[in-house]
Amino acid sequence: MAAGETKAENTSPRSPEAELGIKVEDLWEVLEPQLTPTEKLNSCFQDLPVSSFPVPPTHVIEIPSDTGLAETVEILSKHKILSAPVRDADAPEDASWMDRYIGIVEFAGVAMWVLNQLDASANGKAGSTLTRMDSFTYKKQANGVAENGLTSATSQSTDDGSTSVAGSFFETLTSSEFYKNTKVKDISGSFRWAPFLALQTSDSFLTMLLLLSKYRVKTLPVVDSDNGMLVNIITQSAVVHMLAECAGLDWFENWGNKALNEIGLPNTKPCDLLKVKEDEPVLKAFLLMRKKGIGGLPVVDASGNYAVGNISIRDVQYLLTAPEIYKDYRTITVRDFLTEVRSYLTKQKANSPLLHGLITCKRGNTMKDVILKLDSKKIHRIYVTDESGLLEGVITLRDIISKLVYEPSNYFGDFFDGVLPLPEDSRV
């Protein structure tokens, strides 16, 4: 390499993410040798602005707050995205970014809100206070009575307290005026709704990585520090994809070649792992995820010890995009739900993680092994099994990112003012 020439200048990057990795490499090589590898990584990411993170080729999708839920689902489906920032339709044109957005809506959040209406209807309760609708209107609309020209749909409660589907409830509900006319702003604050916690382009990578890991943020909007315009959306998946593209670089290999058991993953004991049996109602799985605030569950056999599949909170979207799955079922099990969704996706010629078999790893695998699997399969979690196939734990995207950096003392200061405090069980 010629004098003064950097690795970035001497290498042809495979992608914008790899080019970013080379910037980290250049910073890594000039840091003081007495620093530990973890300290060096923290320093590198502290010196990189968020503006360096690759911007997707398509523009950022925003959803006006007065958009109906049905249209919101159509927008998310059309653009093949799982979430989007919600712009206040009543905000003036010259509003600052802090006043322009009211939160982030998730595909799964809309579907779980619909499930909440089902649960309330099945138990004879008034609608959720989150809908901001009076109970009389709710009961009439959610139960599909004559006002909307719909026939009544019924549901049953199973022995475990979850709700099963009778007839074509979801098709009835999702074709109703109640569903179409409920605005996205009406479900603000419900499950999987996130506050609009944004970074500015001048903020550091370290801030971004800590928010996506320790502080459990799933989606981070980025606004231009000068004009306040929304310029990027960074997700946990995007960060793990960046890491996968950095394979082969010294800083990544130094960190990524550590075995999972060497760095304390998985961090959940087998006895504490939440799971669902394949012959249990799928709604039980979704309601458990809502109750515990988690993104996925392993599907296990009758013994409860061997994983046979995975069900994610994002799979709940198929209740809205493919409600015909429920047409012929009074109670659909996890096994049957996953089978029906796979059949639907195959017919649609869609590329989905659900079409892959169960993805697993062993405690002796390296971080690099796991990152490459997660990225190539486009999945959010991987299950850890022993040599005999017994389920030992789960590793999520957040777990991976959390092992990359640490939070310096008093790092955030007043960063969360205006966003926190949040409920104790809330995930930012």
Side-chain angles (χ1 to χ4, degrees), residues 219-361:
T219 303
L220 266 178
V222 181
V223 296
D224 190 290
S225 305
D226 296 324
N227 59 30
M229 299 302 294
L230 187 59
V231 295
N232 202 357
I233 299 284
I234 302 176
T235 64
Q236 294 172 341
S237 295
V239 170
V240 169
H241 175 62
M242 179 205 78
L243 293 175
E245 290 292 295
C246 294
L249 295 172
D250 289 345
W251 70 267
F252 177 85
E253 297 295 324
N254 181 280
W255 172 78
N257 280 324
K258 292 182 173 64
L260 298 177
N261 53 15
E262 184 181 349
I263 59 175
L265 289 179
N267 51 28
T268 303
K269 296 179 180 178
C271 60
D272 295 330
L273 189 62
L274 294 172
K275 46 198 171 185
V276 62
K277 291 183 178 179
E278 59 182 340
D279 58 355
E280 291 183 303
V282 71
L283 292 186
K284 177 183 178 181
F286 290 135
L287 293 173
L288 179 60
M289 285 185 265
R290 181 179 69 180
K291 180 180 179 180
K292 298 297 184 179
I294 56 178
L297 291 168
V299 180
V300 296
D301 64 2
S303 73
N305 297 319
Y306 294 91
V308 296
N310 171 73
I311 188 164
S312 166
I313 192 64
R314 58 180 175 170
D315 298 335
V316 78
Q317 66 181 281
Y318 297 109
L319 302 186
L320 303 181
T321 58
E324 65 272 16
I325 287 173
Y326 282 87
K327 185 174 292 184
D328 300 322
Y329 293 84
R330 289 183 62 81
T331 301
I332 188 167
T333 64
V334 174
R335 181 199 301 111
D336 290 340
F337 172 79
L338 293 176
T339 299
E340 288 296 312
V341 171
R342 290 189 190 104
S343 176
Y344 168 80
L345 291 170
T346 301
K347 292 175 182 176
Q348 298 292 318
K349 297 181 179 179
N351 182 20
S352 169
L354 270 175
L355 295 176
H356 303 307
L358 180 68
I359 308 300
T360 63
C361 65

Side-chain angles (χ1 to χ4, degrees), residues 28-83:
W28 172 274
E29 290 180 344
V30 299
L31 286 171
E32 296 295 331
Q34 64 266 30
L35 294 177
T36 67
T38 302
E39 290 171 335
K40 290 176 76 172
L41 278 179
N42 250 46
S43 180
C44 290
F45 290 124
Q46 176 66 62
D47 289 342
L48 274 179
V50 170
S51 58
S52 301
F53 200 90
V55 177
T58 56
H59 67 283
V60 175
I61 303 300
E62 301 178 4
I63 296 178
S65 60
D66 57 359
T67 304
L69 292 187
E71 186 180 353
T72 297
V73 167
E74 289 177 8
I75 292 171
L76 295 173
S77 297
K78 176 183 176 182
H79 295 282
K80 299 180 179 180
I81 53 178
L82 299 177
S83 63

Side-chain angles (χ1 to χ4, degrees), residues 113-114 116-118 120-122 125-127 133 135-145 148 150-153 169 172-173 176 178-179:
W113 181 87
V114 171
N116 188 57
Q117 311 315 307
L118 166 61
S121 174
K125 300 176 182 177
M133 301 175 68
S135 61
F136 176 73
T137 302
Y138 166 78
K139 286 179 179 178
K140 291 176 72 179
Q141 293 183 328
N143 286 292
V145 297
N148 291 327
L150 302 173
T151 57
S152 178
F169 181 88
T172 301
L173 179 59
S176 69
F178 166 68
Y179 172 64

